[in-house]
Amino acid sequence: MISDIRPSTDGRTNKVTFNLTPENILQIFSEKPAVLHAFLSYVPNKMSERDFWTKYFRAEYLHGTKNSIAAAAEAAEDEELAVFLKQDDILASEARWKVRRVDPTLNMEADEGDDYTHLPDRGIFRDGSKEMTESQNELYRRTLSQDFNRHAAVVLEGRAVDVELEDTRAVAEALARSKQELSTKGESDGDASWERLDRVSRMTEIEDLQGPNNLPLAPLCIKDPRDYFDSQQANALRTSGDAFGGMEQIKCSLSTQEVYGSLRESISQIKATGLKDPIVKPEVAHQVFDALTNSISTTKYHIGKNPHESVLDRLPKKTKEELLHHWTSILELLKHFWASYPITTTYLYTKVNRLKDAMSNIYPQLEEIKGSVPSDLRHQVSLLVRPMHQAVDAAIQHYEADMQKRSTRRETKWIRLGGTIPLLYACLILTYTLYIRSILLWRGSYFCPIDVKTTSHLQMQHFSEIIRGEEPCAPLIC
Amino acid sequence: MKFQIEDVTVYFPYDHIYPEQYSYMIELKRALDAKGHCLLEMPTGTGKTIALLSLITSYSLSKPQSPIKLIYCTRTVHEMEKTLAELKLLHNYQIKHLGPQARILAIGLSSRKNLCVNPTVLAAENRDSVDAGCRKLTASWVRAMAAENPNVPTCQFFENYEKAASAAVLPPGVYTLQDLRAFGKEKGWCPYFLARHMVQFANVVVYSYQYLLDPKVAGIISKEMQKESVVIFDEAHNIDNVCIEALSVSVRRQTLEGATRNLNRISHEIDRFKATDASRLRAEYNRLVEGLALRGNLPITDNWLSNPALPDDILKEAVPGNIRRAEHFLHVLRRLVQYLRGRLETENVEKESPVGFVASISSHAGIDQKALKFCYDRLHSLMLTLEITDTDEFLHIQTICDFATLVGTYGRGFSIIIEPFDERMPHIPDPVLQLSCHDASLAIKPVFDRFQSVVITSGTLSPIDLYPRLLNFHPVVSRSFTMSLTRDCICPMVLTRGSDQLPVSTKFDMRSDPGVVRNYGKLLLEMVSVVPDGIVCFFVSYSYMDGIINTWNDTGILKEIMQHKLVFIETQDVVETTLALDNYRRACDCGRGAVFFSVARGKVAEGIDFDRHYGRLVIMFGVPFQYTLSKILMARLEYLRDTFQIKEGDFLTFDALRQAAQCVGRVIRSKADYGMMIFADKRYSRHDKRSKLPSWILSHLRDANLNLSTDMALHIAREFLRKMAQPYDKTGGGDRKTLLSQEDLEKMGDGTMHEMEY
């Protein structure tokens, strides 16, 4: 509230001090268009900003004393001061066009014409219910109630200015602009009256006398939330098969065909007529989209060590792609590798073997990449490659340990130890790899979204082949 | 749904009906059959309007040989819009089930200001300027002049309407003011005159009380209504006040000055006419001699506010000889103004009866009673003769003539009170001469006499036996219905103590106590943090509200309240209040939540609904007594005691409590809705006050809730809101059904129905 800006006295002199912050100024401007208008026309040509606010607070102080006669006298002497003391003309005219658009069921203004009591001398004049006001200085009277109403209205409108609050002039201009837009929009808005009528008719219905309205609906069914919200890769593969299978089991009042039909219909309708009444305006939607994606990309960005420049960006494009490719393939292999433990069947056993072979094939390839880059980047690349090495190392180590364990199965001691330690280790590694993987995926999709997707799809085939054993030691890169 | 009430098939646009709606219809039907008046009280939020409309339209559909016309009077334009919206719903339903034979014409009628579509006329600010602006373009002499001189501006819409002549009709349907304007714009016809014309053919006319009660308007608008009409006064708990206001006039210094100016202007005009067109004045004189006065064949546009309710015989009399000539009449008026000015120069409060006043006029100013009686008509005729179009400039002299006619006509039921100053501000001299009407029955008598059935209905008519006495009529049916509730969806509480356990009240000696103000503030503050969506607060008067808001603002309570909800305040400026209300609703719609501060007896309390999420809690701060030191109120109380044997205290309490009930009753709209009501004053816990509340509130006021402090009220509010948030069975279930379907009605004979009601 503007009224919260209260003067402070120093206790010795009659001087009062008002403290004004940029937020206060913004608030004053948006709640009092007349002040805004005066600011734009007076500052800085006619007076300095400081003088302007001094004058403003002088007027406020006069209001605070609730002495409308003094206010009138001061206003008569100083026309600039009078601007602040008078009723706000801009608000009044705004109110006039706004009142035409309010809901007719609460438009009390319309009664004015139907009632004789507004006429002078009609009805009972002095029965105590009507209040006495001093009519002479009416012009300079402003009540707290008006301020409250105005404040609440501005809060409700929720107008934001995206300029630096420090610059008062810029704030003022931005506000004036947005106000203008609003009023032009308000005038051109023809749908408002229609919408209003619609609301009236909805309001008149008595809800509980109405029969229950059973609109046809198809409930949204997410069979497995984890499946839905987890990695998109898995989703992309599975949805085609699973989701439809799930849908049919749900009881719903609409068949799939109907839903599809209505969807198609509405799409074709939108195609033909365009979105007539979009839920969100296209510009707004675009802005929101931008803002959201922007923040996503920046968070991705910041996860890397160097927030301003990614290491990957400095690498030659080919190397970068190869690296990303290896990362994804290693991760996928590891995923399947760790998923096969503990080995219970012979199938799993052969699968693990195949995976291990495929992984060990990666070592030379990584070395190759390391060798191919110029010397100044070699360190960077080796840094990038190291976690891959470690991950694969861990897997192979575990594989070998497991092999050993199998060969010495009879020794119970080993089993006990061998059962737990590798498992813990595996968990650690798994979390670590998952972490790396997620980083890489984010990065990958950010830098070259299309490429990564295609490669991952291709790889999927390969992995499945490897897993199924049709092509045991196939080279991973085609 | 469709069902039988005796011989009438009722079409009701919903699938279910409340039992009280059904019994309301039965009583109403009996009153219609008996062709008598009735008085029905049914709680708000039980769908009175739709029950009324559907019974009466069905009644007239079932008796096509003698269709009855429905005149539905609302207090405000927005209520008119609401009623028409409900009627539209009903009409669509009836058309769907009955086909074209159910077609009716229903229109809302309002003043030019709300119906005009001519942009130049509409630019004017208030009603009278719009009226005058319209007359400037459409008066018969202006149009005659325009026929000769094309430079004289006329109203295109009116010209088109005139050209279309008998072809200008509204097709059947339900027309709100908005629809009328749209129709007028589309056809290029003036919606105002079209609507005025269609009033005589319409099956349903919805308009404001004033069109029937205020004799100045009633004469023109309502004279063509046939006797076989049903007149409904909805929300009629204040009807006695409307009636007495309609016949009260006050004269101040400004009025007399304005009247003198007007008289000078008239005399100037007379001179001009004498020089240029003396024959006109002579023609007028002859017309007056013949006693035709004005009632003859004046074109529709020249008609305006007609004379105050005069008994019929006076209308047939000729204007007395001494005021027939324009100059003579002018002299009479000048003497009258002079006399009134002399009377205003008093230093003491004077009270006089009309008879004494007329005698004193006659002896001091030489104007006899008969001449006084005809002042209004005579002025009207003169202004028409002088072709005065800017009637808004002549309001002052019209007031004087109103006054003269009323004083000359009525010997009893009025008093003249002259006050040299307002006693709340004794240092400011502001003399006023008030002719105040005390007898509400005077204004409404013509309505009861003329129409076969008059229905007076509202949510609060308790005590129901008082109204027939105040309005002096004999209802054939007089019933008060209770509300059958599915669940306890209203929760009235009486809060007597604040958070510090000290009593709260707006009693004169306590209201300025800072402790009370703080306790009230704390109460609201606690409530805003508990109650969702909208909260409405009513105060006893504007000045009290202003004071309390200032204090709350200074102590920071208001700021804390604003952290929970936005604050909107009713002011005396209607435009501002309307916008505040609109914003309030939007704040509730968007979930921000808001508090609305309003005044009992104010415009908001009278006509705005705070149903559903727009009002989950009403707090009535104090008991809204009238200002008891007012001379006029005292005179009225005295009159009531002498004529109707109603005790002063009883009347004051009755009046205050009906206002309070009215304020809190605005929260409920249907049984699916819920709301709390807090009466925050220790006086409400006294039996003599509380018992005057309508029974539907009393029946929910549990003994445990009669003497609460803030913390207890808070606890009850929490519990209540939690309970209301649970799903429930809408039909009521079990033995006590609160929602009837068509089968239920068919199954039940009338007998079981009646058992249920009581």
Side-chain angles (χ1 to χ4, degrees), chain B residues 1 3-6 8 10 12 17-29 42 46-47 51 55 481 740-741 744-746 748-754 756-757:
Chain B
M1 65 196 287
F3 53 86
Q4 288 295 126
I5 293 184
E6 287 154 31
V8 174
V10 179
F12 191 72
I17 187 169
Y18 297 138
E20 53 269 45
Q21 277 179 322
Y22 183 70
S23 35
Y24 186 91
M25 286 183 183
I26 293 176
E27 297 294 339
L28 190 61
K29 155 122 198 332
M42 186 155 88
T46 43
L55 182 89
F481 299 89
L740 307 174
S741 65
D744 290 333
L745 286 180
E746 280 159 12
M748 267 182 251
D750 279 6
T752 46
M753 223 20 249
H754 282 275
M756 268 183 47
E757 287 163 27

Side-chain angles (χ1 to χ4, degrees), chain B residues 287-522:
Chain B
R287 204 170 68 227
L288 294 174
V289 172
E290 287 158 23
L292 283 176
L294 323 152
R295 314 260 131 214
N297 329 320
L298 282 175
I300 178 172
T301 46
D302 298 352
N303 242 326
W304 87 74
L305 305 179
S306 170
N307 66 321
L310 299 178
D312 269 349
D313 54 321
I314 295 181
L315 293 180
K316 287 173 198 122
E317 273 179 73
V319 173
N322 55 354
I323 56 169
R324 270 183 218 157
R325 287 187 72 94
E327 308 88 325
H328 293 171
F329 177 57
L330 207 62
H331 283 303
V332 164
L333 285 184
R334 275 190 201 284
R335 286 209 301 279
L336 179 65
V337 169
Q338 192 57 42
Y339 173 77
L340 291 176
R341 187 171 292 139
R343 290 303 302 266
L344 272 184
E345 299 293 322
T346 174
E347 284 182 2
N348 304 313
V349 176
E350 290 176 26
K351 192 179 156 220
E352 217 171 322
S353 75
V355 180
F357 197 77
V358 167
S360 128
I361 289 183
S362 151
S363 63
H364 287 89
I367 309 169
D368 62 347
Q369 186 214 1
K370 199 168 175 211
L372 282 177
K373 205 159 34 176
F374 278 93
C375 272
Y376 195 92
D377 268 351
R378 184 64 192 92
L379 177 75
H380 189 179
S381 157
L382 182 63
M383 283 171 72
L384 284 181
T385 315
L386 296 178
E387 302 186 344
I388 289 168
T389 42
D390 47 348
T391 43
D392 54 333
E393 299 288 321
F394 285 83
L395 287 175
H396 295 298
I397 191 67
Q398 289 183 43
T399 307
I400 300 289
C401 289
D402 267 3
F403 174 79
T405 309
L406 286 169
V407 162
T409 311
Y410 293 105
R412 54 169 279 282
F414 283 81
S415 55
I416 289 147
I417 294 166
I418 308 171
E419 281 180 286
F421 49 77
D422 191 311
E423 61 238 52
R424 282 170 295 182
M425 298 178 170
H427 53 285
I428 303 172
D430 179 24
V432 59
L433 185 151
Q434 305 178 80
L435 173 72
S436 73
C437 173
H438 303 312
D439 194 341
S441 65
L442 291 177
I444 207 170
K445 187 170 181 293
V447 180
F448 282 128
D449 290 349
R450 222 171 91 202
F451 298 106
Q452 74 174 31
S453 293
V454 177
V455 181
I456 291 182
T457 183
S458 171
T460 35
L461 287 177
S462 322
I464 203 161
D465 53 331
L466 189 61
Y467 283 86
R469 275 155 83 198
L470 284 179
L471 300 177
N472 190 22
F473 75 113
H474 302 286
V476 291
V477 175
S478 157
R479 279 262 332 247
S480 176
F481 299 89
T482 54
M483 195 172 181
S484 65
L485 285 182
T486 325
R487 49 178 184 167
D488 287 329
C489 66
I490 61 172
C491 176
M493 303 176 226
V494 174
L495 182 124
T496 54
R497 286 162 293 139
S499 44
D500 55 2
Q501 306 301 324
L502 288 176
V504 290
S505 175
T506 56
K507 231 162 94 177
F508 190 69
D509 51 343
M510 280 178 76
R511 64 164 59 175
S512 45
D513 180 358
V516 172
V517 174
R518 193 186 55 239
N519 271 332
Y520 277 153
K522 282 270 164 8

Side-chain angles (χ1 to χ4, degrees), chain B residues 271-284:
Chain B
D271 290 345
R272 194 168 64 85
F273 265 90
K274 265 192 194 152
T276 56
D277 193 5
S279 58
R280 278 192 71 97
L281 288 170
R282 216 170 303 124
E284 187 204 15

Side-chain angles (χ1 to χ4, degrees), chain A residues 61-88:
Chain A
Y61 191 71
L62 276 172
H63 269 307
T65 56
K66 299 203 175 69
N67 187 344
S68 58
I69 300 165
E74 292 263 356
E77 279 173 20
D78 188 342
E79 63 176 83
E80 281 128 30
L81 193 66
V83 172
F84 302 129
L85 286 171
K86 263 193 281 194
Q87 303 275 2
D88 200 326

